[in-house]
Amino acid sequence: LSGYASCNSSLESSTYFHQSSPSVDCRRESLLVHSDGTSYIEDANSSHEIVYTSQELGTALMAPDGANEVTNTPQTNGQRYRASSKDCQGSSMCQPRTTFVTNRRQSTEAAHVEKRLTAIEDLSLQRIPPGNLKQLLIACAKTLSENNIDKFNMLIAKARVAVSIYGEPIQRLGAYMMEGLVARKEASGSNIYRALHCQEPEGKDLLTYMHTLYEICPYLKFGYMAANGAIAEACRTEDRIHIIDFQIAQGTQWVTLLQALAARPGGAPYVRITGIDDPVSKYARGGGLEAVERRLMALSKQFGIPVEFHGMPVFAADITRDMLDVKPGEALAVNFPLQLHHTPDESVDVNNPRDGILRMVRSLSPKVITLVEQESNTNTAPFLPRFIETLEYYLAIFESIDETMPRHRRERINVEQHCLARDIVNVIACEGKERVERHELFGKWKSRLTMVGFRPYPISSYVNSVI
């Protein structure tokens, strides 16, 4: 599985600039300690409290004209918060409706009324229907973004009894997103992210989890097949092909491509593969790049195609032109599989390593480059929009898993915890250089590639049909 030991996505299929998604992960033990109940706890006396509060408010509001003025703030689209899930349906963001009370005569009476209004708001939040967990999580993120810690603690307590790693997709995802919110509040996101990395399973187990995700989710397989199809089409008449893979991982992406090239009517070309590595890939493999070389040599013998492999255990951002050994007479194909979003851009580093890699690759004059990336806007988006984007994106992944693997299977839990949760925590809990999961939308990637001199190229109808 090629990529940052990673996993998941949604893809643009019309051009050679593709997207998919990544993740490798682990978790703290506390991730398992969540109830699988789905109903919210209510105070048995809350209905009497509402009646009493309404009576008090009625008395206050029926005071002589001018004594108190109550004004409801207008609600903008996408900023509603109701006790009914029907009212929140379709809104991208929900927030508590706010009532302002202005006292013109007695400040103590106004303070009393405002206190009762707050009580009603708190009681209404207790009655968020169980099916509205998505809105509850968004409300948690909103209060945290406003630094309203008391309300955040109240909401997160309600979310805690509604999430479950054994439940429905939103409940399972909610368990990890809640973990990220709490880590952000405690300013411990970076520590948790590092702890999760340290508690990864054995390399062979992680490889199994990643392979499982590859098989049960369509997004990864689609991304790699699209990239391979683009390279095969661009180099269909070439006798010598050099592939530079910026995240070689286990090298399994190239199995289908080598097989296709070996069956080419004009004969198999000579293929040279430069595989760039990092510690995450090495860990997932359970060893160095020698394992990748052995696999590729076995494929060379199996398919009858000459293959040469050069491993480079270097971080992508540290690669220079001279290290890549580009030779005349070779058709150069450069592959960025679920890797480039880990490279900082101008919002993190003034040197803009992300665009720097693209400029360096452009100077090599490749015949084709392929980009497989997560279609998600989590790079420069402020915290709350980033939270909602992450919620929407990963919910699609969890729903896909739900269709293909039973909820009670321990294998499913392992896949979600070790291939998805760590990235989710990083996106939510970390900032600055500590936030390494920085995905961008297709339009932004296209802009970056265009600015350095590349142009999009459509995939042929034949490759599309095969994919």
Side-chain angles (χ1 to χ4, degrees):
L1 175 60
S2 184
Y4 165 63
S6 53
C7 326
N8 43 27
S9 169
S10 130
L11 297 149
E12 280 278 350
S13 62
S14 59
T15 70
Y16 275 177
F17 304 82
H18 302 288
Q19 10 273 111
S20 179
S21 112
S23 327
V24 64
D25 146 75
C26 316
R27 58 172 178 79
R28 299 188 304 173
E29 287 304 313
S30 62
L31 288 175
L32 287 172
V33 190
H34 295 310
S35 165
D36 59 353
T38 57
S39 59
Y40 293 92
I41 298 173
E42 294 187 358
D43 183 352
N45 298 318
S46 60
S47 59
H48 300 293
E49 178 73 7
I50 285 182
V51 172
Y52 176 72
T53 302
S54 299
Q55 290 173 346
E56 283 200 352
L57 283 174
T59 301
L61 296 176
M62 289 300 290
D65 292 343
N68 293 301
E69 178 179 310
V70 179
T71 305
N72 290 331
T73 57
Q75 294 172 288
T76 59
N77 184 33
Q79 292 180 317
R80 307 187 301 269
Y81 202 99
R82 295 286 188 273
S84 165
S85 61
K86 181 179 178 182
D87 292 331
C88 254
Q89 202 72 5
S91 103
S92 60
M93 177 168 58
C94 297
Q95 69 177 21
R97 182 175 180 178
T98 307
T99 303
F100 296 98
V101 180
T102 304
N103 188 346
R104 292 181 177 175
R105 292 185 178 178
Q106 297 181 359
S107 59
T108 55
E109 185 177 359
H112 178 70
V113 173
E114 188 168 6
K115 180 179 179 181
R116 306 315 298 172
L117 286 167
T118 302
I120 277 190
E121 182 181 82
D122 291 346
L123 287 167
S124 69
L125 287 172
Q126 288 185 12
R127 284 172 170 70
I128 298 173
N132 239 10
L133 177 56
K134 183 177 176 180
Q135 275 69 38
L136 177 58
L137 291 169
I138 293 173
C140 290
K142 184 177 186 301
T143 56
L144 185 59
S145 70
E146 295 170 345
N147 202 31
N148 190 341
I149 302 304
D150 290 340
K151 183 171 288 186
F152 171 79
N153 290 335
M154 180 191 73
L155 292 174
I156 209 72
K158 297 181 186 303
R160 196 175 296 278
V161 299
V163 301
S164 167
I165 61 170
Y166 302 99
E168 297 179 2
I170 184 61
Q171 291 178 295
R172 305 199 307 266
L173 173 60
Y176 305 123
M177 299 203 75
M178 190 183 70
E179 190 79 9
L181 287 171
V182 172
R184 184 180 181 88
K185 188 201 80 166
E186 301 295 340
S188 60
S190 299
N191 293 334
I192 288 178
Y193 185 66
R194 284 192 289 268
L196 291 173
H197 183 71
C198 293
Q199 295 177 23
E200 287 177 355
E202 293 293 329
K204 59 181 177 61
D205 294 331
L206 180 57
L207 180 58
T208 300
Y209 303 149
M210 291 161 56
H211 179 73
T212 300
L213 184 62
Y214 179 83
E215 289 299 325
I216 66 177
C217 267
Y219 315 114
L220 295 175
K221 190 175 294 186
F222 176 78
Y224 299 137
M225 286 180 65
N228 286 353
I231 293 172
E233 186 176 47
C235 302
R236 62 186 179 276
T237 61
E238 302 292 340
D239 294 327
R240 299 184 69 87
I241 302 172
H242 181 190
I243 298 172
I244 299 176
D245 189 344
F246 268 81
Q247 187 73 70
I248 191 67
Q250 290 79 40
T252 50
Q253 176 178 347
W254 307 116
V255 175
T256 56
L257 179 62
L258 292 175
Q259 187 175 11
L261 292 175
R264 211 167 62 175
Y270 186 92
V271 179
R272 189 159 65 98
I273 298 177
T274 298
I276 297 168
D277 190 34
D278 65 23
V280 176
S281 290
K282 179 178 179 179
Y283 180 84
R285 276 195 309 271
L289 288 165
E290 296 77 17
V292 179
E293 184 172 19
R294 287 194 298 270
R295 178 177 292 114
L296 293 175
M297 293 307 103
L299 292 172
S300 172
K301 184 177 180 180
Q302 179 183 352
F303 300 141
I305 179 173
V307 177
E308 179 183 344
F309 177 74
H310 295 280
M312 296 183 60
V314 183
F315 282 105
D318 299 327
I319 296 292
T320 64
R321 177 191 172 105
D322 295 337
M323 297 166 67
L324 296 172
D325 190 28
V326 175
K327 299 177 180 177
E330 293 180 331
L332 180 62
V334 180
N335 184 49
F336 289 105
L338 308 175
Q339 180 276 330
L340 207 52
H341 72 269
H342 290 119
T343 305
D345 72 343
E346 66 276 8
S347 66
V348 182
D349 187 333
V350 293
N351 295 318
N352 195 356
R354 185 173 296 191
D355 285 358
I357 290 178
L358 294 177
R359 284 192 296 269
M360 184 272 291
V361 169
R362 181 67 184 87
S363 71
L364 302 175
S365 300
K367 192 170 184 80
V368 59
I369 70 165
T370 51
L371 176 69
V372 182
E373 270 296 342
Q374 200 168 10
E375 179 74 5
S376 183
N377 185 22
T378 64
N379 182 22
T380 57
F383 167 66
L384 184 58
R386 187 169 81 235
F387 180 90
I388 296 172
E389 182 88 354
T390 303
L391 177 62
E392 298 285 357
Y393 178 84
Y394 282 98
L395 183 56
I397 302 295
F398 276 66
E399 287 173 345
S400 296
I401 293 174
D402 211 48
E403 290 296 318
T404 54
M405 185 171 284
R407 294 177 185 174
H408 65 271
R409 289 270 297 274
R410 180 67 205 180
E411 187 180 13
R412 177 199 56 74
I413 297 172
N414 287 334
V415 166
E416 291 173 352
Q417 289 179 346
H418 298 303
C419 295
L420 300 174
R422 181 168 172 259
D423 287 0
I424 293 169
V425 170
N426 184 256
V427 171
I428 295 172
C430 301
E431 294 293 351
K433 292 184 177 180
E434 298 291 344
R435 182 157 61 86
V436 298
E437 301 297 327
R438 293 179 169 272
H439 314 99
E440 294 186 310
L441 298 175
F442 174 76
K444 182 63 176 179
W445 287 116
K446 181 179 179 180
S447 176
R448 288 187 186 279
L449 291 160
T450 302
M451 283 192 296
V452 300
F454 292 108
R455 64 185 178 88
Y457 194 81
I459 294 179
S460 71
S461 58
Y462 172 73
V463 173
N464 261 330
S465 66
V466 170
I467 295 170

